[in-house]
Amino acid sequence: MRAMTVVPGKADSASIGEVAEPPQTDGSVLVEGLLAGICGTDIELTTGLFGSGRAGAERLVIGHESLGRVLDAPQGSGFATGDLVVGIVRRPDPEPCPACARGEWDFCRNGRYTERGIKEMDGYGSERWRVDPYFAVPVPAELGRLGVLVEPASILTKAWDQIDQVGARSWYSPEHVLITGAGPIGLLAALTAKQRGYSIHVLDRAKDGPKPQLVRDLGGEYLTSLADLRVAPDVIIEATGAGQVVVDCAKLLPFAGVMCLAGISPGPASIDVQMDALTRQLVVRNAALVGTVNAAKRHYADAVDVLMAADRAWLERLITRTVPLSDWTQALERESSDIKVVVDLRA
């Protein structure tokens, strides 16, 4: 069967590869791949910056943002032929560590976890894949192709889980939320904040294209400069990973404010920071910075709820380009109007 593959650690190795049928060890539920979302992690994998395949395998099947249709499932699995499904990305370590033992593999303490399409396990970017029922997330039929947004949305439902837990250390009643970056993560962050009833303010460099209107259609304020922000954000979700943006936003945190770091910059950068002054400000204000990555099973279920409650037409506008599996490397070439690019695994 065909699949999106790379040679781990080797730049410019992305190709359409012929691979064997998925092994039974991947899980008892056999799935027809429908769509695979492309994100910055996939692009970094294709540049050889990181990634590792199965033991003894030359190539890694990538694709961790999934959507598929069940072809075969055992009785009692909770799935039936024709069901839409998303595969969870991370698997717990074999020991397991205390976090993995509780189902919190996104907080794995020893780094021995595996991740579909990223670390030591093939991903979902193939015509067929298998998954253990426990690591499969049911997607309502009415969500359709928008189910491919479940995995990125789970990053935000996990982020809000963390923000709520940190915020609960004080009298916690946020009103204004600042989101930096209007890519898929930033826009889904804005969506979840809006559903929570917060006032949203989104910062991005783009002055035209679809992003400003998407934010405004949520009732949010779109900014191209922090200087234009006229409110003190109670919560900041940082989705760019750009060092200067992180520092500038941290300075905006009010008393007991929370800033969640959800983005990673693709390359190293050096900036001058008066760290002692910034530290003093954070300490005096009881402000908190927390990093978040990946998601637990409950966050995927929460993500389905967020997407189901959203305006479908608005969600459709997040998927700006679809490329066929036969020429999937086109998805790696960013276009100015791109937000979320997906690969059609049947084309």
Side-chain angles (χ1 to χ4, degrees), residues 252-297:
L252 298 176
L253 284 173
F255 290 96
V258 182
M259 180 172 173
C260 183
L261 306 178
I264 299 175
S265 178
S270 297
I271 60 173
D272 293 325
V273 181
Q274 292 181 317
M275 201 63 200
D276 52 350
L278 178 59
T279 300
R280 178 180 176 81
Q281 176 177 312
L282 295 173
V283 171
V284 169
R285 295 185 181 182
N286 273 306
L289 273 64
V290 59
T292 186
V293 71
N294 212 274
K297 185 173 182 176

Side-chain angles (χ1 to χ4, degrees), residues 317-333:
R317 289 156 60 198
L318 296 187
I319 302 177
T320 49
R321 190 157 55 99
T322 302
V323 301
L325 175 60
S326 59
D327 200 12
W328 77 270
T329 55
Q330 283 188 358
L332 305 173
E333 301 170 6

Side-chain angles (χ1 to χ4, degrees), residues 194 200 210-221 311 313-314 317:
K194 183 65 177 179
I200 54 177
K211 294 178 179 180
Q213 194 59 48
L214 281 162
V215 172
R216 293 176 186 130
D217 287 347
L218 285 177
E221 178 185 34
D311 177 71
W314 188 90
R317 289 156 60 198

Side-chain angles (χ1 to χ4, degrees), residues 6 8 51-61 118-122:
V6 299
S52 55
R54 297 179 189 268
E58 178 186 3
R59 303 192 73 86
L60 169 69
V61 176
I118 302 172
K119 184 177 183 285
E120 300 173 11
M121 195 170 185
D122 283 336

Side-chain angles (χ1 to χ4, degrees), residues 223-243:
L223 307 166
T224 55
S225 171
L226 277 179
D228 296 328
L229 183 65
R230 303 303 180 196
V231 299
D234 305 296
V235 172
I236 300 173
I237 298 180
E238 208 298 303
T240 71

